Structures are given as C-alpha cells and as structure tokens.
Amino acid sequence: FFLWWWWWWWLFGSMESTHRCVPPFPSTAWEQWNDLKHNTSLSTGCQGLDKLLGGGINLGITEICGEASVGKTQLVLQLLLQATLPTKYGGLGGACCYISTETGRYFPYRRLKEMADALAEENPHLKDSIANCMDRIYLRFISLDMKYTEADFNWVLSKEIPVLLESHNVRLVVIDSIAAVYRQTFAFDKLGDRSLALFQIASYLKRISDENGCPVVVTNQVSDDFKSLENMSGSRYARAYGRLSKGRTVVPALGFSWSSCVNTRIMLTRSLSFNPDIPRYMHLIFSPAQKSGKVSFSISKIGIRNMLMTETQPLKTVECCPEGNSDQQRNFKSSK
C-alpha cells in the first residue's frame, strides 16, 4: 500500500510541477485588448491629475517621487482612500495594502481620518462607502530600522501579499518607499547586484498587478544632481528625469536601472517658500500612453485639490527656471 501511494504521489506531483512550468497558450492581441478594457483605472481624486494621467492610476508600477515634505504621503493617503470607493465613483471597490519600509510603525491615522471625514462632508452620497474605509486598509511595517532585511521584504511580497490578494479583495498595493530597502542594503561597489535585485522585484510586482488587476504604487526618494551645480548642464540622468525643486535640480533615486522598471513616473516639486498660497507642482515624467506635462496643486483639509492643467515637454536642466518669486527668476536668467 505504501509503494502504491508513493507512486501516485510522485506521478501527480510531477504532473502538477510540469503544469506550473508550462506557459499558457498564446492569446491574440484582440483577446488581450478585451481583457484590458475591463480593467478600471483608479481615480486620484483630482481632475487635473486624472486628465494628465489619462484617467488615473493604471495597472503596472506607478512611481511617486519627490523630496521630504513635498506631498508624497498626502497623495498616497488619497489613493488609499479612493481605492476603497465603488468603481462608479472612480474607486476600485476593494481593499488596499500599505507596506511601510522607512517609518518604523508610524502611520498617519489622524490625517487619513481627517481626509475621509472631509470627503464625506463634501460628498454626502459617499458617506456610507467612506464610513468603514479604514477597515479595508491593511498595514505592514517592514522598516530596516526594525532589524528587517531585504530578504524579509521579499518574503512579505511573495508570501503575505498573495494571501491578501486572494482572501481580502485587495485592489491596490502601495510600497512606501522602494528606495529605503535598496539604498541601505547594497554598498557602492555592489550596484550590479542591486540592479539585478531591482529587476527581479519589479518583474514580480508587475506580475502581481497583471494577474490580479491590481495597480502597484511605489514612492521613491530623490537626490541632488551635483553636476548641475558645477556646470549648469547636469548629468545625462538629470537631463532625462531631473526637475527643479526648492531652487535646485533633484533626480529620482536608484538610477537608470530602476527607471527602466517603472511604467509611470510622477515627480512632486515645490518652491523655496513654505507659503501655502504658492502652488506645488506635479510632473508626469513619462507614461506608456500619455505625454509629459505638469499640474499645479495645493494641499487642503480634504487632500490634494485645485489643480490647473499646463502642458509641457520634458525639461532640460539648463532650461529650467527656479520656482519662486520674480527676484529669484531674474537672478537665474542673469546667471545664464
């Protein structure tokens, strides 16, 4: 009996493993297009940004980069709130997963509750949908400050996230931030290993997004471009992806390797002044379906609002003018 049981276990186990290794039968482009039409975009809650993005956040990896205090967390909280809304109101009608990698066990609960209350007050018809929104936002803290490693981060993505996607109807995955994991883990002489790790994690995130119809949003840090400070021409990376923020050129972290993995890149910038009346800017650096552009925005009690659409082409560092008062702009032009 034991030999008989072992033979059947070996046979079906081999067939199952072989089935997993065999790729699915090729489908036509028309079939893929019909499947794509049923995927709903996630509205950002801002008409200007939705217009800039061509409807909202789509499948794949969307990166939101910018320096500290520029508004990345505000936009992420707004996306978490929007994803819990029904699809007819621009949401995804499901739950969300927020993975924090750089703030310990801190999460801005009060700010999220404030935004939810303000949204319900402005839109009474959404009050029932917003009432239990915080019960549908799952939090996972995997900060390196808590003695976690890159291996732990990979384990969370490969083991815990698939369970949430299947059992809790998770429709949005947010990672805040991707740079906190790979900037500290790999030394300068291990950049090749870091690039390989980024390619692998990006491939896995895209597969999660495609198989589950779930957009993936990641935040990223920025760095100063020192070459632009030396000769005003900037590095090749800065000329492609750099923008002016607080009077200096900043570029997204993790270099060209990670840039080639991202489907859509959004950069947030601000002026030197902390005056709330001076608008901040949201740049669409690149997108598979939309041309580059930017919108101005401000942060209010309800979140990111009051955006004005302005079409632009990708800016070169040498042609950028600092955001701020007229004296700063006049000095910049005279220095050229």
Side-chain angles (χ1 to χ4, degrees):
F1 174 78
F2 174 78
L3 292 176
W4 177 84
W5 175 84
W6 178 87
W7 184 82
W8 278 102
W9 174 83
W10 175 83
L11 177 62
F12 284 101
S14 301
M15 292 174 61
E16 182 180 1
S17 61
T18 303
H19 175 72
R20 288 196 302 265
C21 295
V22 175
F25 191 79
S27 58
T28 65
W30 179 252
E31 293 172 343
Q32 292 286 341
W33 169 248
N34 287 329
D35 292 340
L36 186 63
K37 288 193 300 183
H38 296 296
N39 292 325
T40 304
S41 298
L42 170 61
S43 172
T44 62
C46 304
Q47 295 182 357
L49 182 56
D50 285 344
K51 184 177 180 181
L52 184 67
L53 296 174
I57 305 296
N58 295 308
L59 298 183
I61 302 176
T62 299
E63 179 196 80
I64 302 172
C65 60
E67 54 187 333
S69 73
V70 75
K72 298 191 303 295
T73 301
Q74 303 293 324
L75 181 55
V76 165
L77 293 178
Q78 192 159 308
L79 292 176
L80 292 174
L81 184 59
Q82 286 288 133
T84 62
L85 299 180
T87 55
K88 62 181 179 180
Y89 297 124
L92 297 176
C96 326
C97 179
Y98 176 85
I99 303 174
S100 175
T101 64
E102 61 179 22
T103 57
R105 298 191 63 84
Y106 170 77
F107 181 79
Y109 305 96
R110 294 182 180 178
R111 177 55 178 153
L112 179 63
K113 185 66 167 58
E114 180 185 38
M115 294 172 64
D117 293 341
L119 183 62
E121 182 179 355
E122 186 179 86
N123 304 275
H125 59 283
L126 297 177
K127 189 173 182 179
D128 294 338
S129 302
I130 298 173
N132 300 319
C133 65
M134 297 185 71
D135 291 335
R136 287 173 286 173
I137 299 177
Y138 297 91
L139 308 178
R140 186 63 166 93
F141 301 98
I142 194 78
S143 172
L144 298 184
D145 297 337
M146 301 167 63
K147 308 304 180 183
Y148 288 107
T149 64
E150 181 210 356
D152 299 320
F153 176 71
N154 293 335
W155 189 89
V156 168
L157 292 181
S158 61
K159 302 298 182 182
E160 295 185 6
I161 299 304
V163 174
L164 282 175
L165 290 170
E166 293 180 3
S167 60
H168 293 80
N169 190 31
V170 170
R171 300 299 311 279
L172 174 67
V173 176
V174 176
I175 301 175
D176 185 17
S177 69
I178 193 69
V181 179
Y182 295 98
R183 259 186 154 179
Q184 303 180 35
T185 304
F186 295 91
F188 186 77
D189 58 343
K190 299 292 185 179
L191 295 183
D193 296 337
R194 188 183 75 173
S195 297
L196 178 60
L198 289 172
F199 292 151
Q200 292 174 345
I201 203 66
S203 176
Y204 182 73
L205 291 176
K206 290 179 180 179
R207 189 176 67 185
I208 287 179
S209 177
D210 182 65
E211 293 179 354
N212 299 277
C214 171
V216 175
V217 176
V218 301
T219 64
N220 194 7
Q221 302 168 358
V222 295
S223 304
D224 287 340
D225 183 65
F226 295 101
K227 288 188 177 181
S228 63
L229 299 177
E230 296 173 358
N231 53 26
M232 294 299 296
S233 63
S235 63
R236 185 164 62 95
Y237 186 63
R239 291 195 297 271
Y241 304 119
R243 294 294 186 271
L244 281 179
S245 182
K246 295 184 180 179
R248 68 192 195 282
T249 302
V250 296
V251 294
L254 303 180
F256 278 112
S257 298
W258 174 248
S259 298
S260 63
C261 300
V262 176
N263 298 105
T264 303
R265 167 168 284 170
I266 301 170
M267 179 181 282
L268 308 183
T269 61
R270 64 177 302 168
S271 65
L272 288 169
S273 174
F274 286 90
N275 187 344
D277 296 331
I278 297 180
R280 310 181 191 200
Y281 293 93
M282 187 174 299
H283 306 260
L284 178 61
I285 307 297
F286 60 78
S287 169
Q290 296 295 117
K291 60 181 179 180
S292 300
K294 73 176 180 180
V295 292
S296 59
F297 71 95
S298 61
I299 299 176
S300 61
K301 183 179 180 180
I302 198 173
I304 294 179
R305 289 293 186 274
N306 302 325
M307 293 189 175
L308 301 176
M309 188 74 175
T310 57
E311 294 185 358
T312 65
Q313 295 297 324
L315 302 178
K316 296 182 180 180
T317 305
V318 68
E319 297 177 353
C320 291
C321 181
E323 300 164 4
N325 55 40
S326 57
D327 293 335
Q328 290 176 325
Q329 297 176 358
R330 192 179 303 111
N331 294 336
F332 179 81
K333 291 179 181 179
S334 63
S335 64
K336 293 176 64 177

